[in-house]
Amino acid sequence: MELAYYSDYAVRLVNTEEPSRGKDSLSSVEAVRELFGEASQMARRVTDSDVTRFRSVRSRLRAVFTAADEGDQTQAVDLLNSLLLEFPVSPQISGHDYLDEEGRPRWHMHLADHPSNATAGYAAIAAMGLAFHLTEFGADRLGLCQAAPCRNAYLDTSTNRSRRYCSDRCATRANVAAYRARKRQEAERTGRTEEKSQESTTPTER
């Protein structure tokens, strides 16, 4: 089962919104269709109604990441289970699209869905992919970027569970901000030390 591929559906949807910046790129049918990537058949079923439905699912998926990021694993699992119950899928063996060097199918598990609309199809895959990732690697592998004001979702695949940022760009920005903050603190401490030194050497007026 391609866990990273399916769980990425959830990350892509959550990151269409930047709440702290008041930005939301999920504003049209075309924007929703782009989320499906290579799943073009499902994308063609998107209608105007799916824009609102996708936003609702997005809020629920973000709540899963938020709970996991705050260390409330039970809440994260409960929220994810509610999505799995509402948007079920059926695992099937597939391989007709992938052939080995001898022309034989490369059999693999595929999440087949039977949705009533495009939102249900996408939500089912996103929730199941996230569930596989959580049970395989742990709820603490679901995080939200620590580089304020960014709060993009990410899946921690590091060997030592050390990831804190959604991208190298945010990691660099956070490191630069931390460096500048340290320099300001050092300058303030140096300034206070110099002031005290000057006060101690100033003759007392009589």
Side-chain angles (χ1 to χ4, degrees):
M1 184 86 58
E2 298 179 2
L3 300 178
Y5 175 77
Y6 286 119
S7 56
D8 190 54
Y9 272 62
V11 174
R12 287 205 303 269
L13 178 53
V14 171
N15 291 346
T16 58
E17 182 184 29
E18 297 180 72
S20 60
R21 292 189 173 110
K23 294 183 179 180
D24 186 350
S25 63
L26 201 61
S27 57
S28 65
V29 169
E30 290 71 24
V32 172
R33 286 174 176 163
E34 288 179 3
L35 289 170
F36 285 94
E38 297 179 357
S40 57
Q41 291 185 342
M42 197 184 304
R44 284 198 289 269
R45 301 180 59 181
V46 177
T47 66
D48 290 332
S49 298
D50 284 300
V51 177
T52 300
R53 288 194 289 255
F54 260 70
R55 287 177 174 172
S56 176
V57 172
R58 179 181 63 190
S59 296
R60 295 171 67 182
L61 286 171
R62 176 171 283 278
V64 175
F65 278 93
T66 299
D69 187 67
E70 294 175 349
D72 193 343
Q73 298 190 12
T74 300
Q75 176 70 356
V77 170
D78 287 345
L79 292 170
L80 189 51
N81 273 335
S82 68
L83 283 165
L84 292 171
L85 286 172
E86 186 173 345
F87 303 106
V89 295
S90 302
Q92 293 182 352
I93 299 174
S94 181
H96 54 83
D97 294 329
Y98 304 95
L99 304 179
D100 61 21
E101 295 178 353
E102 298 180 6
R104 295 175 300 188
R106 294 180 177 176
W107 302 114
H108 61 279
M109 293 299 295
H110 173 71
L111 297 182
D113 58 273
H114 311 284
S116 56
N117 54 66
T119 303
Y122 192 99
I125 292 176
M128 184 61 75
L130 204 56
F132 276 124
H133 194 96
L134 186 151
T135 54
E136 180 72 15
F137 303 108
D140 58 344
R141 293 286 189 159
L142 279 59
L144 293 173
C145 187
Q146 299 301 303
C150 179
R151 292 293 283 167
N152 276 352
Y154 65 82
L155 299 171
D156 185 359
T157 56
S158 64
T159 56
N160 57 356
R161 299 174 184 266
S162 61
R163 185 171 178 179
R164 295 292 180 271
Y165 308 104
C166 67
S167 64
D168 290 339
R169 179 181 179 182
C170 276
T172 299
R173 182 162 55 83
N175 289 334
V176 170
Y179 172 79
R180 290 175 176 172
R182 287 195 302 271
K183 286 298 183 181
R184 285 195 298 270
Q185 291 175 355
E186 291 173 2
E188 290 174 359
R189 285 196 298 268
T190 300
R192 287 194 295 268
T193 301
E194 290 178 349
E195 288 178 1
K196 290 181 180 180
S197 177
Q198 290 174 359
E199 290 174 357
S200 63
T201 57
T202 300
T204 303
E205 293 184 359
R206 295 185 181 183

